């Protein structure tokens, strides 16, 4: 289940909820219980690459054309 981040339009509280779907009709503010909330766009929680990421293993070079590589 994804974690969604919300902002309360009444008191300004920012909070998260673990939801099984993107239906936010049942979500209320954790501080003032208001239903006047906005779903925020959050950054991803994982990275696929970048500085410090390990490189995938390299495959051995294919044999030249005309040589099947079998003896």
């Amino acid at each position: 289940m994804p974690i969604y981040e919300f902002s309360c339009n009444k008191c300004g509280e920012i909070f998260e909820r673990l939801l099984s779907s993107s239906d936010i009709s049942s979500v209320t503010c954790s501080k003032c219980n208001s239903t006047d909330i906005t779903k925020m766009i959050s950054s991803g929680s994982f990275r696929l690459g970048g500085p410090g990421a390990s490189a995938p293993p390299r495959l051995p070079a294919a044999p030249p054309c005309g040589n099947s590589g079998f003896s």
Side-chain angles (χ1 to χ4, degrees), residues 8-43:
C8 178
N9 297 319
K10 185 176 178 184
C11 71
E13 179 77 1
I14 295 176
F15 59 98
E16 297 175 339
R17 286 289 188 275
L18 185 66
L19 299 175
S20 59
S21 70
S22 60
D23 180 24
I24 66 169
S25 61
S26 63
V27 178
T28 59
C29 175
S30 58
K31 186 175 182 181
C32 71
N33 280 342
S34 174
T35 56
D36 185 14
I37 59 170
T38 302
K39 187 170 144 185
M40 298 173 61
I41 297 175
S42 302
S43 61

Side-chain angles (χ1 to χ4, degrees), residues 63-69:
C65 292
N67 181 356
S68 66

Side-chain angles (χ1 to χ4, degrees), residues 47-56:
R47 285 197 328 183
L48 297 176
S54 61

